[in-house]
Amino acid sequence: MGRKMKIVTKLMIGTVCLIGIPSIVIMIMVYQAMTQQFETSMGRAITQGVQQTATAIDDFAKNRISDIDAFSDSPIFRLESNDVINDHLDSIVDAYAFYDALTYANPDGVVIASTDKGLIGKVLYDEQPDTKDAFMKALKTADGDSVFMSDLSDPTLTGKNARQNDLDMEVLSDVSGPDGKPIGVLLGVVNVTKMIEIVAFADDITVGDESAYLVDKNGLVMITPDRYASIMGPHKDLAIPSLSKQLGMDGNGYKIYINADGIKVLTSYVDLSEYGYDAVGDWSLIATSVYDDIMAPVYDLMETLVYAVIIMMVILISLGFYLTRTSISNPVSNFINQINSLAQDKNLTIQLPSKGKGDLADLGKSFNQFA
């Protein structure tokens, strides 16, 4: 029995090595190839979706610049009374939901007409100090085509109580008289409601519990559906070199890294345009997805393959064990027992099976002749 098990054991070990080791090696190679391929395809797909969303933000900002440029060229500012100009500005704000206010001020900054009636008669940049620099630049260029836009960032909005809805873009263009000289400046205050909707679309592209973020050139979060993010605070992964380095460069792509929460993520980043005569903006749109959630289809497929290989190995080993016992182990053990009987009992009448073909049949014939 000991010899019998020894033969079976050796054959089983050989079978396991012959089937198991190559199967494991092949599965590892397949897993690595599938992982790399899936990472690349998903990274590119998510980045492409983020790029489309970033293009929508670019288009929105550029369209508002085109709006103000067109509005400021209207002859109504040169020919009509202040009341008519007020009605005109009111009608524009009523027609375009993304304008919170339109204001027309003379070269001294005094508000002549506005949808915000409380500004009329006041100095615009006294009431809104952040508009003074762009206001003066608009008067200085005074070519009718130079539109200035403020950055969406607002350093006055910090802390947990800061809300993205409080952000806005201020778009300014000079208004020229018949002689081409500036007679005033038109200011449009654009709310970010539409941009919030656009960034929310990018968030739908992400996989898992992570979010999309519109950040400024310093990496401060301006718009995001992430309710835990601090508006006008640094993006949580800004301290991670693999991401911050990319945000400092103009380019699109994706990175895989361990984020500030200790979670492996895939982050796609897209650089947006710069807007207006003074080229403000230079924002980035970031969309982060949980790596394990992205790779879930690969994990599921590999799990299925592992189970299939295990089942195949069990079947092949069981079949090999059965064939080894019936075709090799049992006949060999029988031969050994007969030979022992011949040696111990001097029984020369022993006959071993010798029918058929093969090594065991030949061995039986030789033994019988010897006996």
Side-chain angles (χ1 to χ4, degrees), residues 301-318:
L301 179 58
M302 287 306 302
E303 184 178 359
T304 301
L305 289 176
V306 168
Y307 286 143
V309 169
I310 291 175
I311 293 173
M312 180 186 69
M313 289 181 62
V314 170
I315 293 174
L316 291 176
I317 290 172
S318 300

Side-chain angles (χ1 to χ4, degrees), residues 18-71:
L18 186 64
I19 298 173
I21 294 178
S23 297
I24 293 173
V25 172
I26 290 172
M27 280 194 298
I28 292 174
M29 294 175 63
V30 169
Y31 174 74
Q32 291 177 340
M34 288 178 61
T35 298
Q36 292 177 357
Q37 180 63 33
F38 205 71
E39 282 179 0
T40 301
S41 61
M42 287 300 295
R44 290 176 177 174
I46 294 175
T47 302
Q48 184 177 8
V50 176
Q51 174 67 70
Q52 293 174 348
T53 307
T55 300
I57 295 175
D58 280 341
D59 290 344
F60 177 78
K62 292 174 182 177
N63 286 338
R64 302 295 73 76
I65 291 173
S66 297
D67 288 347
I68 297 299
D69 186 31
F71 297 158

Side-chain angles (χ1 to χ4, degrees), residues 133-142 146 148 172-174 185:
D133 183 58
F135 186 94
M136 295 303 179
K137 288 180 179 178
L139 286 177
K140 185 177 180 179
T141 56
S146 298
F148 294 82
L172 300 93
S173 178
D174 68 285
V185 171

Side-chain angles (χ1 to χ4, degrees), residues 153-213:
S153 304
D154 188 341
T156 63
L157 295 175
T158 56
K160 294 182 179 179
N161 294 327
R163 299 183 307 166
Q164 57 193 5
N165 287 302
D166 295 332
L167 297 171
D168 57 43
M169 292 188 302
E170 294 161 345
V171 188
L172 300 93
S173 178
D174 68 285
V175 178
S176 300
D179 57 357
K181 294 181 179 180
I183 60 173
V185 171
L186 179 64
L187 163 69
V189 179
V190 182
N191 62 56
V192 296
T193 303
K194 182 62 177 181
M195 297 178 70
I196 292 173
E197 294 175 359
I198 295 173
V199 176
F201 177 79
D203 190 67
D204 292 337
I205 300 172
T206 64
V207 181
D209 296 330
E210 295 296 318
S211 293
Y213 306 84

Side-chain angles (χ1 to χ4, degrees), residues 31 35 39 207-208 210 237 240 255-267 288-295 299:
Y31 174 74
T35 298
E39 282 179 0
V207 181
E210 295 296 318
D237 294 341
I240 297 174
K255 282 288 182 182
I256 297 173
Y257 60 90
I258 304 299
N259 71 2
D261 299 324
I263 302 172
K264 190 174 184 180
V265 296
L266 185 152
T267 295
T288 300
S289 299
V290 178
Y291 181 85
D292 287 343
D293 291 337
I294 290 176
M295 300 302 293
Y299 297 155

Side-chain angles (χ1 to χ4, degrees), residues 34-348:
M34 288 178 61
T35 298
Q36 292 177 357
Q37 180 63 33
F38 205 71
E39 282 179 0
T40 301
S41 61
M42 287 300 295
R44 290 176 177 174
I46 294 175
T47 302
Q48 184 177 8
V50 176
Q51 174 67 70
Q52 293 174 348
T53 307
T55 300
I57 295 175
D58 280 341
D59 290 344
F60 177 78
K62 292 174 182 177
N63 286 338
R64 302 295 73 76
I65 291 173
S66 297
D67 288 347
I68 297 299
D69 186 31
F71 297 158
S72 66
D73 289 339
S74 173
I76 198 170
F77 295 104
R78 300 189 293 269
L79 303 177
E80 300 293 347
S81 67
N82 294 348
D83 290 338
V84 174
I85 296 174
N86 270 307
D87 292 341
H88 177 64
L89 298 182
D90 287 338
S91 66
I92 294 175
V93 171
D94 290 341
Y96 296 89
F98 31 75
Y99 285 110
D100 282 342
L102 285 173
T103 299
Y104 173 57
N106 67 20
D108 295 324
V110 178
V111 176
I112 297 173
S114 177
T115 56
D116 182 358
K117 306 309 178 187
L119 288 177
I120 297 176
K122 297 179 180 180
V123 178
L124 176 62
Y125 41 78
D126 286 345
E127 300 298 317
Q128 299 178 1
D130 57 334
T131 64
K132 184 172 183 178
D133 183 58
F135 186 94
M136 295 303 179
K137 288 180 179 178
L139 286 177
K140 185 177 180 179
T141 56
D143 59 5
D145 294 319
S146 298
V147 180
F148 294 82
M149 194 180 91
S150 69
D151 202 339
L152 190 61
S153 304
D154 188 341
T156 63
L157 295 175
T158 56
K160 294 182 179 179
N161 294 327
R163 299 183 307 166
Q164 57 193 5
N165 287 302
D166 295 332
L167 297 171
D168 57 43
M169 292 188 302
E170 294 161 345
V171 188
L172 300 93
S173 178
D174 68 285
V175 178
S176 300
D179 57 357
K181 294 181 179 180
I183 60 173
V185 171
L186 179 64
L187 163 69
V189 179
V190 182
N191 62 56
V192 296
T193 303
K194 182 62 177 181
M195 297 178 70
I196 292 173
E197 294 175 359
I198 295 173
V199 176
F201 177 79
D203 190 67
D204 292 337
I205 300 172
T206 64
V207 181
D209 296 330
E210 295 296 318
S211 293
Y213 306 84
L214 181 65
V215 300
D216 69 6
K217 58 187 176 183
N218 297 315
L220 302 181
V221 177
M222 298 183 296
I223 296 177
T224 178
D226 183 2
R227 57 180 177 168
Y228 299 108
S230 177
I231 302 302
M232 296 313 302
H235 186 276
K236 65 179 181 180
D237 294 341
L238 193 61
I240 297 174
S242 60
L243 179 63
S244 59
K245 180 180 178 181
Q246 296 299 329
L247 294 183
M249 302 168 61
D250 292 337
N252 308 332
Y254 64 92
K255 282 288 182 182
I256 297 173
Y257 60 90
I258 304 299
N259 71 2
D261 299 324
I263 302 172
K264 190 174 184 180
V265 296
L266 185 152
T267 295
S268 296
Y269 51 88
V270 173
D271 184 63
L272 277 71
S273 301
E274 297 176 348
Y275 314 112
Y277 186 83
D278 46 351
V280 301
D282 196 20
W283 308 327
S284 294
L285 184 60
I286 303 172
T288 300
S289 299
V290 178
Y291 181 85
D292 287 343
D293 291 337
I294 290 176
M295 300 302 293
V298 175
Y299 297 155
D300 292 342
L301 179 58
M302 287 306 302
E303 184 178 359
T304 301
L305 289 176
V306 168
Y307 286 143
V309 169
I310 291 175
I311 293 173
M312 180 186 69
M313 289 181 62
V314 170
I315 293 174
L316 291 176
I317 290 172
S318 300
L319 182 61
F321 183 77
Y322 172 78
L323 294 176
T324 299
R325 286 178 59 90
T326 57
S327 301
I328 299 176
S329 181
N330 288 343
V332 169
S333 296
N334 186 31
F335 285 179
I336 291 173
N337 291 335
Q338 298 288 34
I339 292 171
N340 287 336
S341 177
L342 174 63
Q344 295 172 5
D345 302 332
K346 306 300 186 291
N347 182 6
L348 301 179

